[in-house]
């Protein structure tokens, strides 16, 4: 039963006729004592006290008479009001004895005058004595109380009003539980249980099936724990009977349990499943081959069907890997019933997932299946987001690793090509071929840069940019990209502020977006690029990203093309995802743009309507103070040109785990005149430096190596050689060198692939800085 509790107040002390009688007795005793004592001081005192008590007793008795009259009038007035009330109405004394019952209560319950109200309500409430006593105590303190109680027949509302000391008016309203008492559900056994498993109420169908009232769930379901959504044995007569059981949560932690007999020989089948449509969960009854025999309302709503006659489960739902028919066949044979499956709804416009659990029922005509359906769309959506996050992280790490290996290869290719160019002048027939090799190596390096941009591990070279100038410089190239059928329109905010970004990478983003907009309009149209300023007074939450409050420069690239379907809109930034036909796109353009924008501290969003067009919006923080720009130590990639050699001196320790890169760098440095010591690992470098007589002017080291990495061995070496400067090289981004807790001072970073001139210039600059620092007294 479900109780709506009210605040409790302790019972107040009462006055009654007993007090008046006691005072009268004391007064008479006092007068008698005074007469016996005679004309003495004590006698006069007793006589005076007796007269006073006698007077007080008279006042008390008179007050009680008035109080009784008022209470009697209240009871009569209450009885007059309650006589024709449609509810069950009573008045009782403080012991709960009935002093009045209206006509409806007389007809419905036939109470005896003087009987307790608790005994009269015994068939209506599970524990009426406790309930009535609790309400009476509250009425004495608060003037009234009300509770709503769920019973096997429905709901009962009890109201009590205090009519003064020792008298109470009761009103009882009965409400039929429509879900349980009307329509098909009238034949569905249902019981309500508490947290501890105690049964609070049972409807007539449940009592009839079990054979009477029981106290605990273990007396109905012998197999513990109760398995909801499955066929379990339920006590029936002298044995058990298999029933389909479904549990739902009620108020205040109560459990509502429905059980449906799987097959009853004594009743026709339609009667067995009469309560099926009213079940509080989506349920299907299936034949062994998947044909839907019966469905309830919730199941039809979930599947989007008005009727299920002649429809199979395979026609409505599809498996995410395993065919639905194979799963149903296993379930029919009794295999895999304990594991649910996630299926996709075929007819839904957007992706809708359903979690399906199966139970097997043996019937005379053969086994049938009970399917419990739950809408799992939100669960699968969260799972997809989590998987996508992991996938993007894994692909990002893969892209970074691939880029590192390619950078090593490209360094060796372009480096040895530079060495060959040293032995050929521009008039040589092989010189043009070497230039082609170098240029294509640079193109490959740009492609690797896109992989690093996607993984957000590339080395950016940010600078303060005016987007109006950047777009003006890019306009000629963009117009060539869009062709003759498509027009390009630029709209600028007149007071546009600066941003800080890598100009080359930002141009790459804009070209990718413009090319996509062009491809979305095969018959021609207009592409608009609009710049503006947007101020956020509070953080903006959108597409699982939160943009902090502040001022932003916006770039909007919009078209009126075919648009992107909503179910694919959130996938456009995934690598290798494309809506273009095979051979028309790689699927890396938008993922590269996403990586560049994110690494630049900006945000990119997409809006699209199928048939109306697509808008890509970029947001970059406004750059306000140019003095905050850090001094960049990275060297820009070199263009293909003939290396210039001049003789210099110095001892350089070259540490590189890639043998081709080490061979190229060693030959380049030796050609410049340096003495080169080579090591393949950091440990080898430390062994070489253990010779105190060895003089080294500069360390050139890879950052990421097996065993001890570059920064680690350099820090260890500097314990004895603190003044040696360092040139770090790496195929990873400069972030691989970032160690804010212990930065490596007097070092520069040279990203791979580097050219011969790039390496020699970095080495020359570091040695020159070392000489200048040594010359300062």
């Amino acid at each position: 039963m479900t109780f709506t509790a009210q605040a409790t107040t302790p019972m107040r002390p009462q006055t009654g006729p007993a007090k008046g009688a006691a005072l009268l007795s004391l007064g008479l005793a006092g007068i008698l004592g005074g007469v016996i004592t005679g004309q003495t001081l004590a006698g006069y005192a007793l006589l005076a006290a007796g007269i006073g008590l006698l007077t007080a007793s008279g006042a008390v008795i008179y007050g009680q008479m008035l109080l009784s009259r008022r209470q009697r009038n209240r009871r009569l007035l209450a009885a007059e009001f309650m006589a024709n009330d449609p509810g069950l109405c009573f008045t009782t004394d403080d012991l709960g004895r009935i002093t009045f019952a209206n006509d409806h209560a007389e007809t419905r319950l036939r109470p005896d005058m003087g009987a307790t109200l608790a005994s009269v309500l015994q068939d209506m409430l599970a524990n009426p004595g406790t309930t009535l006593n609790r309400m009476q105590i509250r009425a004495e303190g608060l003037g009234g109380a009300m509770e709503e109680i769920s019973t096997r027949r429905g709901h009962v509302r009890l109201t009590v009003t205090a009519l003064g000391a020792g008298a109470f008016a009761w009103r009882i309203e009965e409400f039929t539980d429509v879900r349980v008492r009307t329509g098909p559900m009238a034949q569905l056994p249902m019981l309500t249980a508490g947290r501890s498993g105690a049964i609070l109420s049972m409807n007539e169908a449940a009592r009839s099936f079990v054979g009477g009232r029981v106290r605990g769930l273990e007396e109905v379901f012998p197999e513990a724990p109760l398995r909801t959504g499955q066929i379990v044995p339920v006590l029936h007569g002298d044995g058990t009977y298999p029933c389909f059981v479904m549990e739902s949560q009620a108020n205040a932690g109560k459990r509502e349990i429905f059980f449906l007999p799987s097959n009853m020989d004594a009743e026709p089948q339609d009667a067995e499943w009469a309560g099926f449509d009213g079940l509080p969960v989506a349920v299907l009854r299936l034949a062994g081959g998947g044909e839907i025999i019966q469905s309830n309302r919730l199941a039809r709503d979930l599947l989007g069907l008005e009727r299920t006659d002649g429809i199979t489960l395979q026609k409505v739902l599809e498996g995410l890997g395993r065919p639905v028919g194979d799963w149903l066949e296993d379930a029919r044979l009794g295999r895999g019933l304990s594991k649910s499956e996630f299926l996709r709804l075929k007819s839904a416009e957007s992706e809708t997932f359903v979690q399906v659990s199966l139970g097997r029922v043996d019937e005379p005509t053969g086994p049938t299946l009970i399917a419990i359906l739950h809408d799992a769309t939100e669960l699968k959506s969260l799972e997809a987001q989590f998987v996508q996050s992991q996938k993007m992280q894994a692909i990002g790490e893969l892209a970074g690793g691939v880029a590192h290996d390619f950078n090593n290869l490209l360094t060796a290719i372009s480096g040895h090509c530079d060495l060959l160019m040293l032995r050929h002048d521009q008039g040589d027939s092989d010189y043009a071929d070497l230039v082609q090799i170098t240029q294509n190596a640079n193109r490959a390096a740009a492609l690797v840069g896109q992989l690093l941009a996607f993984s957000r591990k590339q080395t950016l070279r940010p600078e303060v940019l005016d987007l109006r100038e950047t777009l003006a410089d890019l306009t000629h190239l963009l117009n060539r990209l869009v062709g003759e059928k498509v027009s390009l329109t630029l709209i600028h905010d007149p007071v546009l502020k600066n941003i800080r970004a890598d100009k080359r990478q930002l141009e790459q983003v804009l070209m990718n977006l413009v090319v996509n907009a062009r491809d979305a309009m095969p018959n021609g149209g207009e592409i608009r690029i609009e710049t503006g300023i947007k101020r956020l007074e509070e953080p903006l939450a959108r597409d699982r990203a939160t943009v902090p409050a502040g001022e932003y420069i916006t770039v909007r690239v919009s078209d009126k093309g075919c648009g992107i379907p909503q179910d694919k809109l959130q996938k456009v930034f995934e690598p290798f995802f494309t809506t273009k036909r095979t051979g028309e796109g790689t699927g890396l353009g938008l993922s590269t743009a996403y990586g560049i924008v994110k690494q630049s501290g900006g945000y990119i969003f997409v809006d699209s309507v199928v048939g109306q067009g697509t808008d890509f919006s970029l947001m970059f923080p406004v750059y306000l103070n140019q003095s905050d720009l850090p001094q960049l130590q990275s060297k820009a990639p070199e263009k293909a040109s003939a290396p210039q050699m001049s003789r210099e001196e110095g001892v350089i320790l070259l540490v590189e785990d890639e043998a081709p890169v080490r061979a190229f760098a060693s030959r380049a440095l030796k050609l410049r005149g340096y003495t080169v010591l080579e090591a393949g690992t950091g440990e080898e470098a430390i062994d070489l430096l253990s010779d105190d007589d060895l003089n080294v002017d500069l360390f050139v080291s890879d950052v990421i190596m097996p065993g001890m990495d570059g920064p680690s061995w350099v820090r260890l070496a500097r314990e004895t050689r603190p003044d040696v400067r360092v040139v770090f090289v790496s195929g990873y981004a400069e972030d691989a060198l970032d160690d804010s807790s212990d930065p490596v001072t007097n070092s520069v970073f040279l990203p791979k692939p580097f050219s011969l001139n790039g390496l020699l210039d970095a080495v020359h600059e570091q040695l020159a800085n070392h000489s200048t620092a040594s010359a300062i007294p």
Side-chain angles (χ1 to χ4, degrees), residues 58-383:
V60 169
I61 293 173
Y62 180 71
Q64 289 298 322
M65 292 174 61
L66 292 178
L67 181 60
S68 298
R69 182 180 298 174
R70 285 197 297 269
Q71 290 178 346
R72 185 169 57 254
N73 291 337
R74 288 178 182 174
R75 287 196 295 268
L76 292 175
L77 183 61
E80 183 179 349
F81 274 107
M82 294 187 298
N84 298 317
D85 194 298
L88 307 177
C89 299
F90 301 89
T91 60
T92 63
D93 59 15
D94 56 347
L95 298 179
R97 292 174 298 201
I98 297 174
T99 58
F100 167 80
N102 69 350
D103 292 340
H104 186 52
E106 289 279 1
T107 304
R108 171 76 170 77
L109 299 176
R110 300 186 183 279
D112 295 328
M113 292 299 105
T116 62
L117 184 59
S119 64
V120 173
L121 300 180
Q122 188 172 0
D123 292 335
M124 182 181 295
L125 304 178
N127 192 5
T130 302
T131 303
L132 298 178
N133 184 56
R134 179 174 61 248
M135 294 182 64
Q136 184 172 311
I137 292 175
R138 291 172 188 158
E140 289 174 344
L142 302 175
M146 185 272 290
E147 287 190 6
E148 289 189 359
I149 304 170
S150 178
T151 72
R152 62 179 182 271
R153 295 186 177 88
H155 293 279
V156 173
R157 178 182 296 164
L158 274 72
T159 306
V160 59
T161 304
L163 300 178
F168 303 90
W170 299 84
R171 188 173 188 273
I172 303 169
E173 297 176 88
E174 293 182 287
F175 299 95
T176 300
D177 190 337
V178 175
R179 183 187 60 191
V180 176
R181 296 296 297 173
T182 65
M185 289 294 286
Q187 302 182 38
L188 183 65
M190 188 272 285
L191 57 85
T192 304
R195 292 189 180 93
S196 63
I199 295 178
L200 305 178
S201 65
M202 300 174 67
N203 68 356
E204 294 291 349
R207 295 178 66 184
S208 175
F209 186 86
V210 175
R213 179 181 294 278
V214 292
R215 297 180 178 273
L217 289 179
E218 68 279 359
E219 300 180 41
V220 180
F221 309 101
E223 292 186 2
L226 181 62
R227 303 187 305 275
T228 181
Q230 298 187 27
I231 304 295
V232 300
V234 179
L235 289 178
H236 177 62
D238 296 332
T240 61
Y241 197 87
C243 293
F244 166 70
V245 176
M246 191 62 232
E247 176 181 338
S248 63
Q249 295 297 321
N251 296 329
K254 305 298 188 299
R255 304 162 61 188
E256 289 187 347
I257 301 171
F258 304 83
F259 53 97
L260 190 65
S262 63
N263 183 29
M264 296 292 287
D265 297 334
E267 300 177 5
Q269 193 175 40
D270 290 341
E272 301 165 19
W273 294 84
F276 196 73
D277 199 58
L279 281 172
V281 292
V283 184
L284 297 176
R285 188 183 184 198
L286 307 172
E291 299 84 3
I292 301 177
I293 302 173
Q294 206 166 4
S295 63
N296 70 344
R297 178 182 53 81
L298 290 180
R300 293 191 294 273
D301 291 344
L302 179 58
L303 299 177
L305 301 173
E306 294 183 2
R307 299 178 60 86
T308 55
D309 298 341
I311 297 178
T312 62
L313 192 66
Q314 298 92 313
K315 185 177 180 180
V316 180
L317 300 171
E318 62 180 352
L320 303 183
R322 184 185 185 191
V324 176
D326 293 352
W327 179 50
L328 293 176
E329 177 63 18
D330 283 350
R332 188 182 68 84
L333 298 176
R335 298 194 299 259
L337 295 176
S338 60
K339 184 180 180 181
S340 60
E341 289 283 340
F342 288 92
L343 307 178
R344 182 187 291 109
L345 191 61
K346 290 183 177 180
S347 60
E349 295 181 358
S350 59
E351 285 193 328
T352 301
F353 296 92
V354 179
Q355 183 180 10
V356 183
S357 302
L358 292 181
R360 182 173 181 269
V361 180
D362 291 323
E363 298 186 1
T365 57
T368 60
L369 301 174
I370 303 297
I372 309 300
L373 284 63
H374 298 281
D375 189 349
T377 303
E378 183 176 356
L379 175 64
K380 294 298 289 185
S381 176
L382 293 174
E383 179 184 345

Side-chain angles (χ1 to χ4, degrees), residues 511-521 559 580 589-590 616:
M511 284 191 291
N512 287 345
L513 296 179
V514 169
V515 167
N516 282 343
R518 177 203 65 190
D519 294 342
M521 298 185 295
D559 63 72
K580 300 177 183 178
L590 289 178
F616 282 92

Side-chain angles (χ1 to χ4, degrees), residues 465-479 488-493 496 503 506-507 509-511 514 528-532 553-557 618:
L465 299 177
D466 185 335
L467 281 179
R468 289 170 295 193
E469 296 179 0
T470 301
L471 288 172
D473 296 340
L474 194 60
T475 300
H476 178 67
L477 177 58
L478 294 179
N479 280 320
L488 185 67
T489 303
L490 298 179
I491 302 175
H492 292 299
D493 190 296
L496 204 63
K503 181 178 180 180
L506 181 58
E507 290 174 347
V509 171
L510 294 173
M511 284 191 291
V514 169
R528 297 171 65 90
I529 302 179
E530 302 177 53
T531 61
I553 300 300
T554 61
V555 182
R556 182 184 173 199
V557 180
L618 311 179

Side-chain angles (χ1 to χ4, degrees), residues 415-445:
H416 283 93
C417 187
D418 287 345
L419 292 175
L420 287 174
M421 292 175 70
L422 292 175
R423 300 199 297 268
H424 296 75
D425 56 33
Q426 296 185 6
D428 196 312
S429 59
D430 294 334
Y431 190 85
D433 296 335
L434 295 174
V435 171
Q436 284 294 322
I437 294 173
T438 302
Q439 289 178 347
N440 281 280
N442 289 336
R443 290 181 60 190

